[in-house]
Amino acid sequence: MQCRYFKKCASCTLHDMSYAKQLEFKATTIKNEFKIKNLDIIKSKEIHFRNRAEFRIFHEDDKIFYAMHSFDKKLLKIDECLITSPAIYKIMPKLLKELSINSELKRKLFAVEFLSSSTNNLLITLIYHKKIDQLWQEEAEKLATKLKIDLIGRSKKVKKVITKESIDESFKIENISYKYFLKDNSFIQPNAFVNQQMIKWVCKNIKNLDSDLLELYCGHGNFTLPLSKKFKKVLATEISKSSIKLAKEHVKLNNITNIEFVRLSSQELIEALQQTRVFKRLRDIDLKKYNFSHIFVDPPRAGVDEKTLKFLKEFKNIIYISCNPKTLKRDLEILKDKFKIVQFAIFDQFAYTNHVECGVILTQK
Ligand SMILES: C[S@@+](CC[C@H](N)C(=O)[O-])C[C@H]1O[C@@H](n2cnc3c(N)ncnc32)[C@H](O)[C@@H]1O
């Protein structure tokens, strides 16, 4: 990929290497860092791979432009972004053209967020530094109809949904189709293609079991749904109210009956399992019926906190997905006295940057 904003736009940092070299660099770094010999390497598409993107809007006289931060922390005007998914890439100029000629939609427009599914459905959020009112809504409705898009308007404490606030996503894992709704207010993996490869990698490395799975940081059930086919039952927990609400809709949508989703932080879940605190949210769930053989964690960049790490040590098998090798390394240091690494993978979710996502399967020594 050759982008004309390389070296200017701060979003991509590994622009001086070919894609093959980037992967080699990341694989060598991770192998050295974690002192491992074997690594599964899951590639991204080389262009048009990001299904979530946000751009600032730069106002100059009466004109507007998309903008990104430059290396010197200023706003850099851009006309296109090659890492965005085909659907986002195609709609960007059409949307800008329509916004440019509409004073109501253009005024005080601060940023635009794009979300697309792997099947190229689109949800666009326009973010304003002004109140959005009835007049805005009428213009936004016309725009959504003209461009055939789902649109949301956001300003301080106000959210107006034009058409609908979610898009449909679907993909197949081990010959089974899964359907999801993607929403702007819950966590979504940024690279749809790599996301599916991550789920496939985890599923491939777990045989069908007669035991149960405990999942922490489950989001909207991205991994949970396919993983439910590998276990007898799954208890999946997550801190975000909106993600758990969506996860519960996803089990119904996919007719899955062996998952229970509960909104609990990892710390609260431990308190519940250790019976040191009672939660109303658990009144319909019998925690004693579970026979967990595996725990699956996919924490935020901060990694797993100390209390939860101690709790992880009680499991026979751990599947750890990490978006931050630094905190992964710190956490594996704590687990290494009791666990050995069975499988290690890098998933190139963030091509053209230094970031890398890792997957580690650990089992008790
Ligand atoms: C990297 S995302 C992974 C989500 C999901 N596995 C997926 O693939 O979409 C991390 C998730 O952890 C949740 N989270 C953050 N802190 C948490 C905590 N202390 N306890 C439970 N969940 C937490 C976030 O809301 C977010 O959904």
Side-chain angles (χ1 to χ4, degrees):
M1 184 179 94
Q2 261 313 323
C3 171
R4 64 191 140 123
Y5 303 109
F6 275 167
K7 295 193 181 155
K8 295 182 203 143
C9 169
S11 157
C12 292
T13 47
L14 286 185
H15 38 66
D16 46 359
M17 291 182 202
S18 67
Y19 186 65
K21 279 265 179 269
Q22 290 175 38
L23 271 185
E24 199 184 306
F25 165 71
K26 289 183 185 182
T28 311
T29 310
I30 293 294
K31 275 184 181 170
N32 292 340
E33 201 57 45
F34 290 88
K35 298 187 175 49
I36 43 165
K37 286 195 184 107
N38 300 320
L39 189 63
D40 295 332
I41 300 171
I42 313 297
K43 290 182 189 175
S44 171
K45 289 182 176 162
E46 291 191 27
I47 188 167
H48 298 314
F49 49 82
R50 256 196 95 99
N51 54 302
R52 226 180 54 198
E54 178 179 341
F55 300 95
R56 280 284 298 275
I57 293 294
F58 188 89
H59 295 254
E60 191 174 55
D61 303 326
D62 203 26
K63 291 191 178 139
I64 53 169
F65 303 86
Y66 292 115
M68 291 296 288
H69 284 285
S70 62
F71 283 106
D72 53 6
K73 297 198 168 56
K74 289 185 182 141
L75 281 183
L76 171 75
K77 290 187 269 179
I78 60 159
D79 291 329
E80 62 174 12
C81 176
L82 294 175
I83 66 171
T84 55
S85 69
I88 298 177
Y89 184 77
K90 270 189 214 139
I91 200 75
M92 280 179 70
K94 291 182 193 160
L95 178 71
L96 195 75
K97 192 174 161 209
E98 294 301 325
L99 293 171
S100 297
I101 54 171
N102 187 313
S103 58
E104 185 53 37
L105 297 178
K106 179 169 68 173
R107 195 167 56 82
K108 301 250 181 200
L109 176 61
F110 173 73
V112 184
E113 277 176 13
F114 295 89
L115 178 63
S116 72
S117 63
S118 55
T119 42
N120 284 330
N121 295 318
L122 263 178
L123 179 65
I124 298 174
T125 306
L126 304 178
I127 302 164
Y128 288 89
H129 275 176
K130 69 169 177 181
K131 257 193 176 164
I132 49 176
D133 51 18
Q134 187 57 32
L135 181 58
W136 177 88
Q137 179 151 350
E138 283 163 20
E139 293 302 318
E141 278 165 8
K142 285 184 219 157
L143 176 67
T145 310
K146 184 162 185 189
L147 294 184
K148 298 191 185 76
I149 50 173
D150 291 317
L151 198 60
I152 294 175
R154 270 206 273 129
S155 67
K156 208 174 173 192
K157 292 188 188 155
V158 178
K159 178 175 177 182
K160 283 196 188 285
V161 178
I162 310 292
T163 57
K164 58 186 173 70
E165 61 176 329
S166 67
I167 48 170
D168 298 343
E169 170 67 306
S170 64
F171 48 77
K172 260 189 184 175
I173 305 287
E174 299 187 340
N175 285 326
I176 302 175
S177 291
Y178 296 93
K179 293 185 215 147
Y180 301 81
F181 304 122
L182 302 181
K183 276 193 175 172
D184 67 321
N185 62 355
S186 67
F187 177 86
I188 291 157
Q189 301 284 0
N191 187 323
F193 173 75
V194 174
N195 179 45
Q196 291 169 39
Q197 307 310 310
M198 295 203 298
I199 301 171
K200 283 180 186 163
W201 181 83
V202 175
C203 287
K204 190 183 87 184
N205 284 296
I206 299 177
K207 50 179 197 255
N208 289 352
L209 293 159
D210 204 27
S211 52
D212 302 330
L213 170 71
L214 176 62
E215 181 180 359
L216 314 182
Y217 319 97
C218 69
H220 66 244
N222 179 43
F223 285 92
T224 327
L225 269 52
L227 276 175
S228 70
K229 306 293 175 198
K230 299 280 170 181
F231 293 89
K232 206 166 166 192
K233 301 186 290 305
V234 182
L235 178 67
T237 61
E238 153 69 49
I239 202 168
S240 151
K241 216 175 186 171
S242 53
S243 295
I244 281 292
K245 190 166 172 263
L246 203 51
K248 287 182 178 173
E249 288 176 39
H250 288 154
V251 273
K252 280 193 202 141
L253 182 70
N254 289 278
N255 298 317
I256 294 176
T257 53
N258 65 339
I259 305 175
E260 288 184 297
F261 282 108
V262 200
R263 180 174 61 83
L264 288 172
S265 72
S266 55
Q267 300 83 352
E268 288 173 333
L269 172 77
I270 297 167
E271 289 172 334
L273 286 169
Q274 292 174 347
Q275 295 178 337
T276 55
R277 200 172 147 195
V278 178
F279 291 86
K280 258 196 195 160
R281 281 166 269 165
L282 285 167
R283 64 180 166 252
D284 297 326
I285 294 179
D286 175 12
L287 292 177
K288 292 199 187 86
K289 74 180 176 202
Y290 283 99
N291 166 31
F292 300 120
S293 61
H294 288 63
I295 184 159
F296 180 94
V297 293
D298 180 11
R301 287 186 65 74
V304 177
D305 63 275
E306 249 181 80
K307 187 177 167 186
T308 311
L309 268 176
K310 205 169 153 207
F311 171 69
L312 254 55
K313 285 188 166 185
E314 293 169 22
F315 290 77
K316 267 203 177 124
N317 305 283
I318 303 172
I319 306 151
Y320 191 143
I321 303 291
S322 159
C323 56
N324 185 350
K326 277 203 181 111
T327 51
L328 174 65
K329 192 171 176 206
R330 179 201 67 197
D331 296 349
L332 292 186
E333 276 300 313
I334 292 170
L335 298 171
K336 78 173 184 201
D337 57 334
K338 209 168 167 193
F339 291 85
K340 62 175 184 220
I341 294 174
V342 182
Q343 208 78 29
F344 205 124
I346 58 168
F347 311 109
D348 199 22
Q349 282 240 60
F350 313 98
Y352 295 90
T353 77
N354 280 302
H355 294 291
V356 61
E357 184 108 5
C358 297
V360 191
I361 299 180
L362 301 136
T363 193
Q364 274 197 26
K365 285 179 184 167

